[in-house]
Amino acid sequence: MKFPGYWVSMSSGKALLERTTFDETDLDPATNWKQTWQNEEESSTCNGFVELREALIFAAKLLSTAEERALSKDEIAKIVLIDPLWIKDSFEISTISQLLSDK
């Protein structure tokens, strides 16, 4: 089976979401088939998600770490409602402020 999903990575201080397709062998049963296997280093900043909500939260956490700031519950609640502006199946986020203003 194929599942639409998202790769989330961090590069040059920016978070990048990329649309992709996973098959069931890519997904981890421990996450109810919603995230990719973690075969990479635990500190890896590239993770795969089936749900956009979880991909956005992970991207926001990567940015908050880079910006050395905490995310409030209200900010996370706003972030998960974002409808990304996809450009060639990618959505690049430079800052938490940009992410929060994209709502």
Side-chain angles (χ1 to χ4, degrees):
M1 284 184 73
K2 300 287 184 184
F3 300 89
Y6 311 90
W7 281 116
V8 181
S9 60
M10 187 79 170
S11 179
S12 301
K14 297 178 182 179
L16 179 67
L17 277 74
E18 297 176 279
R19 291 185 199 173
T20 191
T21 302
F22 300 114
D23 87 17
E24 68 273 5
T25 63
D26 296 322
L27 301 173
D28 184 357
T31 65
N32 198 27
W33 310 103
K34 300 292 183 186
Q35 294 181 24
T36 58
W37 285 98
Q38 296 300 307
N39 292 334
E40 300 176 27
E41 296 177 23
E42 198 159 311
S43 63
S44 173
T45 60
C46 184
N47 286 53
F49 300 88
V50 171
E51 297 176 350
L52 178 58
R53 176 187 198 288
E54 297 303 318
L56 287 167
I57 290 171
F58 186 72
K61 288 180 179 179
L62 291 175
L63 286 168
S64 70
T65 299
E67 294 177 16
E68 298 179 347
R69 77 187 285 290
L71 290 169
S72 71
K73 288 181 181 182
D74 288 340
E75 288 173 321
I76 292 172
K78 186 175 180 180
I79 287 166
V80 300
L81 298 176
I82 290 171
D83 184 16
L85 175 60
W86 298 101
I87 299 172
K88 296 184 181 179
D89 288 330
S90 296
F91 177 57
E92 186 176 270
I93 312 157
S94 299
T95 64
I96 292 290
S97 295
Q98 175 203 348
L99 189 57
L100 290 169
S101 68
D102 278 349
K103 173 66 182 103

